[in-house]
Amino acid sequence: AFLFTGLKSGKYDLIVSFMGFETKTQSIELTKNEEICIYLQEIAFLSDEVIVNASRAADNAPITYSTINNNELQSKNTGVDLPFLLQSTPSLVVSSDAGGGIGYTNLRIRGTDLTSINVTLNGVPVNDPESHAVYFVDLPDLVSSVDNIQIQRGVGTSTNGSAAFGASINIKTESPSPTPFAQLNSGVGSFATFKNTLSFGTGISEKGFSLNGRLSKINSDGFIDRASSDLKSYYLSGSWSGKYTIIKVIATSGLEKTYQSWYGVPKDSLKTNRTYNPAGAMTNANGNISGYYANQTDNYQQDYYQLLIAQQIKENLLLSGAIFLTKGKGYYEEWENDKSFSEYGLSDVVIGGETISSTDLVQQKWLDNDYYGFNLALLHHHKKINTTIGIGWNRYIGKHFGNISWAQFASESKNDTKWYENKGDKSDFNAYAKTIYQLNQKVSLFADLQIRLINYAIVGNHDNLTDLTQSHDYAFFNPKSGISFSLNSLQSVYASVARTFREPGRTIYEDASLNEEIFNEELIDFELGYKLNTSKLNLNSNVFYMDYTNQFVLTGKINEVGAAIMTNVPDSYRFGFEAAITYKWTKKMLISGNLTLSENKIKNFTEYIDNWNYWDDPENQPYQFENYLGTTNISFSPSATVGAQFSYQVFDNLNIVLNSNYVSRQFIDNTSNVDRSLDPYIIGSLLVNIKIKQKIFKELALTGQLNNLFNTKYETNAWVYQYIYDNQHYTMDGYFPQAGLNGMLSVTIRF
């Protein structure tokens, strides 16, 4: 039984859904108080939404989250990477190395990047276990095969894979289409961008079998010089659904070749040459640039295989599970000017009595990895208690090695000489139990307990020839609890507290000094939220406080061979307010927006600055200067982000959407120095969707999108390195400018 109050007279569409039954929509002409009864038809097939239920936040869970549905994703899918399609959610900031949203992209939520965000695909972990990173460039056009995405901000609920240290992104791929279809989507846009996607579905047969597939190809030259991308992918899903059973097999793969654009543009070039790309520069004997290496590229293929099973044991008992294998292999190739043989463990070359100790060369750094495992979850629904018990195990084996593929002077080596090799082996087991107890009609209680057991070992040598051999074990206990309170049929509040731990990533171990003591990170996350849902207004707001212990940050500190290292800072925090609002102004106009205001601080911060005089006078000069700064801002954590969206349904077949986003100042290191920061910016976009009425195809649609309507000159990411030499302060840096006004036009034909 459901009660809706405060409704005005008028027409309403009532949508009723429940697991195991067909969703029903009934139109109601409301002129007075009414009591109606809706009858649902039992369906023959179990919905595949149950596959991700174990890792998702329920409606009444005291969790801060946003859900992006299929219609919203597909309406703006013009080929850009997934991060750029999530900008309508609070606290999210995106960046693109190539400047146009295609190729290497990144996102931050509450100031944390993808190495601190747990990402799952159908409940299967996606983050690289060693680096904790996620590269959506390895899954181009994934969104064309996505049904919906849930973003949980903060620690969220227990899930599989790496710890959520700022947010989690839970992706569910498409459900089988009830009817057969074929669809072609082709687009063309700025920077010689082309997107072609061919997808199909057989529909669900009388016995419950179905097959869905997709082929995609995306090419772009990028906004930055030579920042080209050549991206290919496929997706294939076969499933069988019975009344109580689902078996689904998924294979998807992405192959990318991108010209490197990850060095950024020096700050002094931003005003004169915003598209400058230093990658691949070849220098002559005088040190002047003579050209650019044509194959300064990143080449990688990622393959995902998943077997997903769900079994409804009883009406209130569901078992779901997954077995997965993820394979990755690839390399990036670089031109290196005048490198010494000793850096590669090679001998000098003697020609005609002359000793040559350095050479121009081409190197390749390879990664060949296998990631496999399983997860199981048992979901039990009772009158007042919903409980999920889950376990998961995975193992990662990553082979890292480097080849010299060409050298001007070959020493005693030959081409394709291997100069370093190491292997990472990591296993991760987790078990959790979470429950929501409906205490009464107004109050529900939430509890979530998880343990993680991790073993990580490295054997071999680093690219600087140092020995990396080491082993680490971790045992974490991650408790979470909360309460939800229904104020009335329209309003509710919730509060939660969660504690989680996170092991260091591979680079921490690689670059740490010999005597460096490394601690795991710890986070306690407090969330307090308020929700309002009426026939016209939907509001989700919350306050958060994230208290970090031993968070890893860059301080400028280096190890004994001069490489920058991440170090623990004992005390840091994030404190803020988030809100997302949707208002139905009229039947045709929808207004939505989001706002985040936050304070992100490190307490008792000390920066380290390299002293280049150390190499000239090592006995009398320290190799680094220390500068105590006290409380400073955490890098890449804007104090304010704002998003606004106006959607107007001009006609039944014409929709116009205007978006705008504001991001306040971001510091690119942790010193709070304005000279080392990204300026605030406002950007806007215009999206037009047109459905053309005709009798040839099932559907014919045009989508046009203009990005950066105000032609704003802005940067979304950067790096900085500072040093002192002869009592003078110097800085090296790289900024990542984004494209000015640009656009994309695409056509969709559905058969």
Side-chain angles (χ1 to χ4, degrees):
F2 299 88
L3 178 67
F4 297 93
T5 61
L7 301 181
K8 295 181 179 180
S9 298
K11 263 189 177 180
Y12 293 92
D13 287 331
L14 181 63
I15 304 171
V16 184
S17 63
F18 192 77
M19 186 185 300
F21 295 84
E22 290 182 354
T23 297
K24 186 169 184 178
T25 301
Q26 181 166 323
S27 295
I28 301 170
E29 184 74 41
L30 193 63
T31 58
K32 60 181 180 179
N33 290 340
E34 287 191 31
E35 183 175 320
I36 60 174
C37 190
I38 305 292
Y39 293 92
L40 300 185
Q41 182 70 37
E42 194 171 5
I43 58 175
F45 307 118
L46 188 65
S47 167
D48 74 348
E49 191 73 26
V50 299
I51 290 172
V52 296
N53 279 359
S55 56
R56 293 218 162 168
D59 290 340
N60 61 338
I63 303 296
T64 303
Y65 71 92
S66 303
T67 301
I68 304 97
N69 61 36
N70 179 267
N71 288 338
E72 182 179 349
L73 289 169
Q74 301 309 327
S75 67
K76 52 190 179 184
N77 179 20
T78 56
V80 293
D81 268 8
L82 184 62
F84 278 73
L85 301 178
L86 305 179
Q87 292 186 81
S88 61
T89 59
S91 302
L92 194 146
V93 179
V94 298
S95 179
S96 167
D97 286 7
I102 295 175
Y104 272 88
T105 60
N106 194 11
L107 65 83
R108 292 185 175 91
I109 299 176
R110 292 185 179 176
T112 60
D113 66 14
L114 279 165
T115 62
S116 299
I117 296 172
N118 171 275
V119 180
T120 57
L121 185 68
N122 299 317
V124 171
V126 174
N127 299 70
D128 179 271
E130 282 195 296
S131 67
H132 301 166
V134 176
Y135 299 104
F136 286 109
V137 69
D138 298 328
L139 286 168
D141 202 25
L142 172 65
V143 74
S144 289
S145 301
V146 167
D147 185 15
N148 58 70
I149 298 173
Q150 185 181 90
I151 299 176
Q152 299 176 22
R153 298 187 296 281
V155 171
T157 64
S158 291
T159 185
N160 301 298
S162 64
F165 237 61
S168 59
I169 300 175
N170 185 302
I171 304 169
K172 179 190 173 298
T173 56
E174 63 186 1
S175 301
S177 171
T179 57
F181 77 93
Q183 181 172 293
L184 174 65
N185 175 269
S186 293
V188 59
S190 303
F191 319 120
T193 299
F194 296 93
K195 174 185 181 289
N196 290 284
T197 302
L198 178 63
S199 53
F200 71 90
T202 62
I204 303 176
S205 71
E206 291 183 1
K207 295 185 177 182
F209 291 97
S210 66
L211 183 68
N212 281 37
R214 171 182 57 81
L215 290 172
S216 299
K217 191 175 191 307
I218 300 173
N219 293 87
S220 179
D221 287 347
F223 167 68
I224 301 296
D225 295 342
R226 303 184 313 285
S228 59
S229 298
D230 183 0
L231 314 176
K232 305 179 183 72
S233 68
Y234 79 84
Y235 173 89
L236 190 63
S237 169
S239 66
W240 173 76
S241 300
K243 187 175 181 180
Y244 304 109
T245 307
I246 293 175
I247 300 175
K248 194 169 185 176
V249 179
I250 295 173
T252 184
S253 176
L255 175 63
E256 60 93 0
K257 181 171 185 175
T258 57
Y259 195 97
Q260 294 173 22
S261 54
W262 52 53
Y263 296 106
V265 179
K267 190 174 184 178
D268 56 11
S269 297
L270 288 175
K271 291 184 179 180
T272 58
N273 187 5
R274 292 180 61 79
T275 64
Y276 172 64
N277 184 4
M282 306 166 70
T283 59
N284 55 28
N286 297 322
N288 297 319
I289 296 176
S290 58
Y292 292 91
Y293 183 55
N295 201 37
Q296 186 89 359
T297 57
D298 181 74
N299 308 265
Y300 198 79
Q301 180 170 339
Q302 192 95 8
D303 304 319
Y304 293 83
Y305 305 98
Q306 299 180 355
L307 171 62
L308 310 171
I309 300 174
Q311 176 68 43
Q312 189 168 342
I313 301 171
K314 295 182 178 179
E315 183 180 353
N316 62 347
L317 190 63
L318 177 76
L319 177 68
S320 66
I323 300 173
F324 70 91
L325 169 64
T326 303
K327 296 181 68 67
K329 187 173 184 179
Y331 66 94
Y332 64 90
E333 183 167 305
E334 295 181 301
W335 174 272
E336 295 287 351
N337 294 290
D338 197 30
K339 301 292 286 187
S340 63
F341 288 113
S342 61
E343 292 184 53
Y344 297 85
L346 302 173
S347 303
D348 293 343
V349 174
V350 178
I351 300 177
E354 179 184 358
T355 299
I356 299 173
S357 59
S358 62
T359 180
D360 293 341
L361 57 84
V362 175
Q363 68 180 30
Q364 295 178 348
K365 290 189 174 182
W366 281 81
L367 173 60
D368 184 357
N369 60 86
D370 294 303
Y371 185 31
Y372 54 88
F374 73 90
N375 59 66
L376 287 172
L378 187 66
L379 293 82
H380 181 259
H381 302 276
H382 193 56
K383 292 180 179 179
K384 291 188 175 183
I385 302 177
N386 291 337
T387 302
T388 302
I389 299 173
I391 62 170
W393 175 86
N394 56 70
R395 186 184 181 193
Y396 174 92
I397 300 175
K399 300 174 184 177
H400 306 257
F401 56 93
N403 287 338
I404 302 173
S405 59
W406 175 88
Q408 183 181 8
F409 301 104
S411 183
E412 77 274 11
S413 68
K414 299 178 182 178
N415 289 345
D416 294 325
T417 296
K418 186 176 291 184
W419 94 86
Y420 76 91
E421 185 175 19
N422 64 77
K423 183 177 77 170
D425 190 336
K426 185 174 184 179
S427 60
D428 185 340
F429 170 81
N430 86 91
Y432 62 87
K434 49 189 173 183
T435 185
I436 297 179
Y437 174 56
Q438 195 71 39
L439 185 63
N440 52 46
Q441 288 185 341
K442 289 185 174 294
V443 180
S444 61
L445 305 176
F446 171 78
D448 184 340
L449 304 176
Q450 182 195 45
I451 59 169
R452 283 186 71 208
L453 304 176
I454 301 162
N455 172 260
Y456 180 44
I458 308 176
V459 178
N461 62 320
H462 196 9
D463 59 2
N464 61 9
L465 305 182
T466 57
D467 185 19
L468 280 178
T469 302
Q470 55 193 285
S471 181
H472 306 275
D473 291 286
Y474 294 95
F476 297 140
F477 174 60
N478 304 318
K480 312 168 185 70
S481 64
I483 182 172
S484 297
F485 183 80
S486 177
L487 301 175
N488 51 47
S489 61
L490 304 177
Q491 303 176 82
S492 63
V493 295
Y494 65 87
S496 67
V497 59
R499 186 184 189 189
T500 190
F501 296 85
R502 181 171 177 259
E503 75 280 11
R506 173 186 170 89
T507 56
I508 305 293
Y509 297 122
E510 281 183 336
D511 300 330
S513 297
L514 292 176
N515 298 319
E516 184 86 13
E517 189 173 7
I518 300 173
F519 302 96
N520 58 262
E521 298 173 285
E522 179 184 349
L523 169 62
I524 300 178
D525 177 31
F526 301 89
E527 305 277 336
L528 178 64
Y530 168 79
K531 298 179 181 180
L532 171 66
N533 292 287
T534 72
S535 59
K536 284 198 169 187
L537 178 65
N538 180 281
L539 171 65
N540 291 285
S541 61
N542 62 279
V543 176
F544 63 88
Y545 182 80
M546 303 172 70
D547 185 16
Y548 295 89
T549 301
N550 293 323
Q551 184 180 14
F552 282 108
V553 302
L554 285 169
T555 64
K557 199 171 184 180
I558 61 175
N559 60 17
E560 60 275 358
V561 297
I565 61 175
M566 300 274 282
T567 54
N568 295 112
V569 290
D571 197 356
S572 55
Y573 69 89
R574 302 181 188 275
F575 173 56
F577 167 78
E578 296 171 324
I581 186 169
T582 301
Y583 180 64
K584 191 174 183 180
W585 187 283
T586 67
K587 290 182 178 180
K588 293 188 174 183
M589 179 175 286
L590 190 69
I591 301 173
S592 59
N594 62 80
L595 167 69
T596 300
L597 302 173
S598 64
E599 182 178 82
N600 310 275
K601 300 291 184 179
I602 300 173
K603 298 180 181 179
N604 301 312
F605 180 77
T606 299
E607 72 164 333
Y608 296 82
I609 305 172
D610 283 2
N611 175 18
W612 280 24
N613 288 321
Y614 167 77
W615 284 270
D616 297 332
D617 190 9
E619 294 183 359
N620 300 315
Q621 296 284 345
Y623 70 93
Q624 282 196 309
F625 296 107
E626 295 184 18
N627 184 19
Y628 176 75
L629 297 176
T631 299
T632 62
N633 293 282
I634 302 177
S635 61
F636 301 106
S637 301
S639 60
T641 60
V642 183
Q645 179 174 290
F646 300 88
S647 176
Y648 187 65
Q649 194 74 35
V650 183
F651 306 110
D652 289 342
N653 59 346
L654 174 60
N655 180 251
I656 297 175
V657 181
L658 181 64
N659 287 283
S660 63
N661 291 91
Y662 166 78
V663 178
S664 67
R665 183 170 302 279
Q666 302 176 72
F667 296 97
I668 63 178
D669 65 11
N670 297 293
T671 64
S672 298
N673 189 325
V674 176
D675 290 336
R676 298 193 289 274
S677 68
L678 303 175
D679 291 334
Y681 59 86
I682 299 176
I683 54 173
S685 66
L686 177 66
L687 179 68
V688 179
N689 287 303
I690 304 173
K691 291 184 179 180
I692 301 174
K693 294 182 179 180
Q694 38 74 50
K695 297 182 179 180
I696 302 176
F697 309 109
K698 284 185 179 178
E699 181 182 318
L700 177 61
L702 294 175
T703 299
Q705 183 162 358
L706 288 175
N707 302 306
N708 197 356
L709 285 175
F710 318 126
N711 201 30
T712 303
K713 291 184 178 181
Y714 70 108
E715 297 79 45
T716 55
N717 200 4
W719 59 268
V720 64
Y721 167 74
Q722 52 180 332
Y723 63 95
I724 293 175
Y725 185 68
D726 282 344
N727 296 319
Q728 296 291 320
H729 188 278
Y730 296 91
T731 299
M732 298 179 188
D733 50 36
Y735 288 71
F736 294 84
Q738 304 299 286
L741 179 65
N742 66 94
M744 188 80 177
L745 180 65
S746 62
V747 58
T748 300
I749 302 173
R750 192 176 182 92
F751 302 90

